[in-house]
Amino acid sequence: MIAVCYLMAYEGGPVEPGDDMAGAEFRWWTLAELADESVKISVPTDQKWLMERAVELYRLWKNSDVELQLSRDAGSPVRN
């Protein structure tokens, strides 16, 4: 089986759960908090290394000069 994971960046604004999660609470976690053995994540199960990799990839993306996403306004690429 192959799993596909997406890396997305939070860029501000209120966090609003969708209809299926209405009333749900959320919080931001540090990698150290996620590494605790008592913390269980449901997806991907037993793959906490992906969290560290996501932070690495985010830092690579943020520090790059590659056009990776389109502007919401003009449809033109946004430079980091």
Side-chain angles (χ1 to χ4, degrees), residues 17-76:
D19 292 343
D20 61 335
M21 294 296 293
E25 293 184 25
F26 73 93
R27 68 182 281 254
W28 300 112
W29 295 71
T30 66
L31 285 178
E33 290 172 320
L34 289 172
D36 187 308
E37 291 297 320
S38 66
V39 174
K40 304 296 182 207
I41 56 174
S42 57
V43 179
T45 305
D46 299 325
Q47 300 294 316
K48 289 187 179 184
W49 66 270
L50 282 174
M51 307 301 175
E52 293 176 16
R53 184 64 176 145
V55 171
E56 292 172 6
L57 290 174
Y58 173 77
R59 289 177 179 155
L60 283 171
W61 171 72
K62 244 351 213 185
N63 294 323
S64 71
D65 194 26
V66 177
E67 298 170 358
L68 295 176
Q69 82 185 39
L70 297 177
S71 165
R72 292 185 202 154
D73 301 327
S76 60

